[in-house]
Amino acid sequence: MTTLMVIAKEPRPGRVKTRLTPPYTPEEAAALAEASLADTLAVVMASPAERRLLVLDGTPGQWLPGEIEVIPQTGGGLDERLAAAFALCDGPALLIGMDTPQITPELLRPALLPGSDDPADAWFGPATDGGFWALGLRKPDPILLRGVPMSTPDTGQVQRRRLTGAGLVVRDLPELRDVDTAPDAEAVAAQAPGSRFAAAVARFAPAGAR
């Protein structure tokens, strides 16, 4: 893929990961979000791409690598914001979120460096909550995202049907678990024991025995 994008929200207390509170405090939830975003951006920097974008709702902080281009998110629902992100791309693009700090460059590589004989038009990464954590398009088309209901148990199914309904050949990436709740945080931390995110979960765990 020519462009690798992360869509994210500034990790500010009270604005991110509100479903983690309780048991985490708003400040702890924001710290977990920042660790997750930092891990994600580190993977982006280690992955093969010609252009790296952070599509951000908010203001960049010290967690931002200087080599990543920052673009502000547009208004509207999540489907409109995702569509607008793909509209920024002239060639193949892969978009991921900030809620899967367990990702690795190896996990993204099939979508970023597909074989020359691979007929795939799209790459789709399903999430265990029914959504999706990654979407890659060989020819980005915002229409493929607009109108897809977001944050529902069948968001992923609807989005994937939108792709296949447009006649695209879709390849699936592994299913991953998003960090939305405290049990999610604990499970994902266990999957990525050496990550900033796992360290943050361990740091906050004693306060209340989570």
Side-chain angles (χ1 to χ4, degrees):
M1 294 291 174
T2 301
T3 302
L4 177 54
M5 300 182 286
V6 178
I7 187 160
K9 183 180 290 186
E10 177 189 357
R12 189 191 309 170
R15 294 192 69 247
V16 294
K17 294 300 165 199
T18 55
R19 291 174 61 190
L20 291 176
T21 58
Y24 296 96
T25 68
E27 291 74 19
E28 289 171 344
L32 291 176
E34 180 174 332
S36 180
L37 179 54
D39 284 332
T40 301
L41 294 177
V43 169
V44 168
M45 294 307 302
S47 298
E50 294 181 11
R51 185 185 184 196
R52 297 173 178 85
L53 291 179
L54 174 63
V55 187
L56 183 65
D57 175 5
T59 303
Q62 295 182 346
W63 40 263
L64 178 70
E67 300 85 353
I68 292 182
E69 182 180 353
V70 180
I71 301 292
Q73 288 186 29
T74 62
L78 181 55
D79 63 315
E80 290 289 344
R81 286 178 277 145
L82 294 178
F86 277 105
L88 299 169
C89 306
D90 295 327
L94 176 67
L95 182 144
I96 60 177
M98 62 178 284
D99 300 333
T100 50
Q102 70 272 45
I103 62 170
T104 63
E106 292 71 28
L107 196 64
L108 302 181
R109 189 173 297 275
L112 293 170
L113 294 174
S116 58
D117 59 346
D118 192 327
D121 303 304
W123 289 83
F124 185 78
T128 56
D129 63 0
F132 59 94
W133 65 270
L135 179 62
L137 297 173
R138 187 184 297 275
K139 295 180 179 179
D141 184 351
I143 293 176
L144 294 171
L145 293 108
R146 291 194 180 110
V148 173
M150 296 289 164
S151 302
T152 71
D154 61 351
T155 291
Q157 294 180 21
V158 175
Q159 181 62 76
R160 199 180 190 286
R161 285 200 300 268
R162 179 71 68 88
L163 302 175
T164 56
L168 303 185
V169 176
V170 181
R171 294 281 187 266
D172 288 318
L173 295 169
E175 184 179 74
L176 295 183
R177 184 170 183 167
D178 282 341
V179 175
D180 291 319
T181 66
D184 292 334
E186 294 167 2
V188 170
Q191 294 172 0
S195 64
R196 297 173 182 84
F197 183 77
V201 170
R203 184 165 71 251
F204 298 132
R210 311 296 178 202

